Amino acid sequence: MNRKQKTARLSILSNSLLIIIKLVVGIITGSVSIISEAIHSTMDLLAAIIAFFSIKISSMPADAEHNYGHEKLENISGVIEALLIFLASGFIIHEAVKKMISNEPIASIGMGFIVMFISALINYFVSRKLYKVAREEESVALEADALHLKVDVYTSIGVGSGLLLIHITKINILDPIVAILIALFILVEAYDMLKRAFFPLVDEKISDDDIKIIKSSIEQFHESKVDFHDLRTRRSGHIKHIDFHLDIPENMTVAQAHEICDRIEIEIENKLRNTKILIHVEPRKT
């Protein structure tokens, strides 16, 4: 089990614990906002499970059926996670509206507040760990999972604050209002995640900053009388795919051209991690 898989497993364990705690306290208190948080954590658990298996499969080497590897599975998992959040948000809003109509009182507000504080604390530290590994490993799936937990920190604080306000003001309708605000906040998160996970599936280019690094790395070899054109880039999971045409003097030998290509590849790889580079060499009349 590699580092990314171990980190994804940590998210599974923490979410499983929080679901049990939130669900029990939500049922005891009758708070729809706490129950909505339990639903949110359930979506987080599903997201963590999807992330775990997508990371495991995407780490497999290329094979006869998948010549370019399996990295895009990380992006697919991100799309699925976003759709799960849309579904959870709709359910939370539905339950909150029912609660507004019934206007039932909330019991054991203090217990609910403590649970939300504990939930925020646990998710804060777990999400920090996930973000750290996601950045270092350039993992789309782990970043999506970390974003789930980061939002859970904010929503837990929101629910806890709502319970505190209910305790002070005795206005029970604040509970479903907070739940609806949580659902809307989650929808924004889902939309952002969907964009970041989906566009690499249609071969969107890598960032402009990375492209500048690629161009500057190639331009360092102008003294060898080479130039380039038709630079293309795309991302597949954590892998950046780069290809371009390299113009060389027509009297340059194959061995010399190959050496320059190797040097360019090393230069780019030293500046950009997780890259796969394809160079098409073309003779240019001098």
Side-chain angles (χ1 to χ4, degrees):
M1 187 178 293
N2 61 32
R3 186 188 182 201
K4 291 195 293 183
Q5 291 174 32
K6 289 179 180 177
T7 307
R9 186 178 62 178
L10 173 64
S11 179
I12 292 174
L13 295 174
S14 66
N15 278 305
S16 298
L17 175 64
L18 289 175
I19 288 169
I20 296 170
I21 295 173
K22 289 178 181 179
L23 194 57
V24 170
V25 174
I27 292 171
I28 292 173
T29 61
S31 169
V32 71
S33 59
I34 295 179
I35 293 173
S36 74
E37 272 295 285
I39 295 168
H40 186 195
S41 290
T42 301
M43 295 299 104
D44 289 344
L45 176 59
L46 288 174
I49 293 171
I50 292 168
F52 177 82
F53 284 105
S54 70
I55 288 169
K56 184 176 181 179
I57 297 172
S58 67
S59 300
M60 295 168 61
D63 54 37
E65 297 297 325
H66 306 89
N67 299 165
Y68 292 93
H70 305 78
E71 289 86 4
K72 281 193 176 182
L73 279 170
E74 286 204 32
N75 296 92
I76 293 172
S77 77
V79 171
I80 295 172
E81 289 175 39
L83 295 177
L84 284 173
I85 297 175
F86 279 115
L87 182 64
S89 299
F91 183 77
I92 290 170
I93 292 172
H94 177 263
E95 291 300 310
V97 171
K98 286 173 59 179
K99 183 75 173 184
M100 290 176 73
I101 295 171
S102 66
N103 196 30
E104 295 176 3
I106 298 172
S108 304
I109 290 178
M111 183 190 300
F113 180 81
I114 292 170
V115 167
M116 289 300 99
F117 176 78
I118 293 172
S119 174
L121 201 61
I122 291 174
N123 281 323
Y124 172 74
F125 287 108
V126 176
S127 65
R128 280 189 62 184
K129 175 67 175 178
L130 263 65
Y131 267 122
K132 182 176 184 294
V133 177
R135 285 193 297 267
E136 292 173 356
E137 301 291 337
E138 298 188 71
S139 171
V140 177
L142 273 185
E143 184 182 359
D145 198 10
L147 186 57
H148 270 274
L149 299 183
K150 180 181 177 181
V151 170
D152 211 340
V153 172
Y154 295 138
T155 55
S156 294
I157 292 172
V159 170
S161 301
L163 292 173
L164 185 61
L165 284 173
I166 292 169
H167 178 69
I168 295 170
T169 64
K170 309 302 181 184
I171 302 174
N172 293 322
I173 201 173
L174 287 173
D175 180 55
I177 290 174
V178 169
I180 291 173
L181 291 175
I182 289 170
L184 295 176
F185 185 76
I186 294 171
L187 282 172
V188 174
E189 173 221 0
Y191 177 70
D192 182 59
M193 184 190 303
L194 185 62
K195 288 195 301 180
R196 285 190 293 153
F198 176 76
F199 284 118
L201 292 175
V202 292
D203 292 338
E204 183 183 50
K205 69 179 180 66
I206 62 177
S207 71
D208 290 336
D209 289 339
D210 286 348
I211 290 175
K212 286 179 182 178
I213 290 173
I214 294 167
K215 289 181 177 179
S216 66
S217 297
I218 303 171
E219 288 166 355
Q220 291 184 31
F221 294 87
H222 277 170
E223 76 278 1
S224 300
K225 298 181 180 180
V226 300
D227 203 354
F228 72 98
H229 63 277
D230 291 343
L231 172 64
R232 300 187 303 177
T233 65
R234 64 184 178 90
R235 181 184 288 275
S236 178
H238 67 292
I239 300 294
K240 302 179 188 73
H241 291 270
I242 303 161
D243 69 76
F244 57 90
H245 292 224
L246 187 71
D247 294 327
I248 65 169
E250 63 176 352
N251 59 352
M252 183 178 287
T253 66
V254 173
Q256 289 172 325
H258 186 269
E259 181 187 357
I260 290 174
C261 289
D262 283 346
R263 289 168 59 195
I264 291 174
E265 288 176 5
I266 291 170
E267 184 69 25
I268 294 172
E269 289 167 356
N270 285 339
K271 296 177 179 177
L272 292 179
R273 298 175 61 239
N274 301 319
T275 57
K276 289 186 178 180
I277 305 165
L278 178 64
I279 303 175
H280 177 76
V281 176
E282 292 182 351
R284 181 188 68 248
K285 290 184 179 181
T286 53

